[in-house]
Amino acid sequence: MNDNALRGAQWQRLVGEFLAPRLGGDPEARAQANKVVAERMWRRYQEEVWGGQVDDYLSYRDRARLDWLLDMCRHVGVPAPDRTRCLALATESKAYVTRRVHASYPGAIDAIRRLHAKGYRLYTASGEDSDDLEGFLVGMKVLRLFVRLYGPDLINTAKGGPVYYTRVFDDAGVEPGDALVVDDSPLAISWAAKAGARAVLVSDAPPDPRPSDAPIRSLAELPALLERTSA
């Protein structure tokens, strides 16, 4: 739903804006620190989560949030608060940022509204936590259109394989065969398909072989696709 290329720069600026008055350091330095630290943490996420090393997601999340803030402080050269305050500030900063980011793909908001109006029950199945998803959807003004915002935290399972989708479907009371998963990651699409769901890849250049039954170029195309396939 959101373009990471647009979101990244906004996220960095907003993190600096939030943390600098609370922990010290120049806002611009904080923004640059976030870029460096976030890239390092993303590499570690891929190694640990996609590598199947995370059994207890909630413990992993707390450790990752703590490491993020501690690394930010080290990078800027300011003292870090204690563990409890670090975790609280990490959570507060994400809530501050997500509600102020404007990076939705063209047509995404309209597509969500059209799907809801057609009677589709909308959920998220994201690698981001439910509180982050809530912030983004508040900013997009479509939060009320979703039944539940699934991130790894709600099922204590990282988005790192088919079991993630199985647990989402079980928790939501949805039969996998009745679900349609839409994602821009071919890997995530393959996991959803293995869990028994229909899957649609969003990509300008779908890979070959295609892991989804009907690739689309953007979320804006999804309502028309569903109209064609359900006719």
Side-chain angles (χ1 to χ4, degrees), residues 3 25 45 56 81 119 130 142 150 154 171 173 196 206 212 214 221:
D3 185 344
Y45 177 90
D56 179 357
S130 58
V142 294
Y150 281 102
L154 293 192
D171 191 84
S212 67
E221 297 180 7

Side-chain angles (χ1 to χ4, degrees), residues 114-180:
R114 288 174 61 191
L115 292 170
H116 180 267
K118 289 284 187 181
Y120 289 100
R121 291 171 58 83
L122 305 179
Y123 300 83
T124 60
S126 175
E128 298 187 79
D129 289 329
S130 58
D131 53 353
D132 291 344
L133 298 169
E134 180 177 335
F136 290 128
L137 295 178
V138 165
M140 294 167 68
K141 298 181 169 48
V142 294
L143 175 63
R144 67 177 183 83
L145 306 185
F146 285 80
V147 178
R148 198 166 192 213
L149 308 180
Y150 281 102
D153 58 310
L154 293 192
I155 53 172
N156 197 24
T157 304
K159 188 176 179 179
V163 68
Y164 169 83
Y165 288 98
T166 298
R167 291 179 180 173
V168 166
F169 299 147
D170 286 346
D171 191 84
V174 173
E175 289 295 325
D178 295 333
L180 175 69

Side-chain angles (χ1 to χ4, degrees), residues 18-87:
F18 178 84
L19 288 178
R22 292 163 176 82
L23 291 176
D26 177 71
E28 178 60 28
R30 284 280 179 190
Q32 290 302 313
N34 182 72
K35 183 176 187 298
V36 173
V37 172
E39 289 174 353
R40 183 163 60 240
M41 293 193 68
W42 172 240
R43 290 193 296 271
R44 189 166 67 190
Y45 177 90
Q46 292 174 302
E47 292 171 359
E48 296 183 8
V49 172
W50 292 356
Q53 302 174 35
V54 176
D55 295 322
D56 179 357
Y57 175 77
L58 292 174
S59 295
Y60 168 84
R61 180 194 65 180
D62 286 349
R63 175 168 57 86
R65 289 186 177 186
L66 180 64
D67 289 349
W68 172 75
L69 198 64
L70 290 174
D71 283 353
M72 289 272 289
C73 290
R74 292 189 194 101
H75 194 87
V76 176
V78 299
D82 62 37
R83 183 181 190 278
T84 300
R85 184 57 180 152
C86 274
L87 286 173

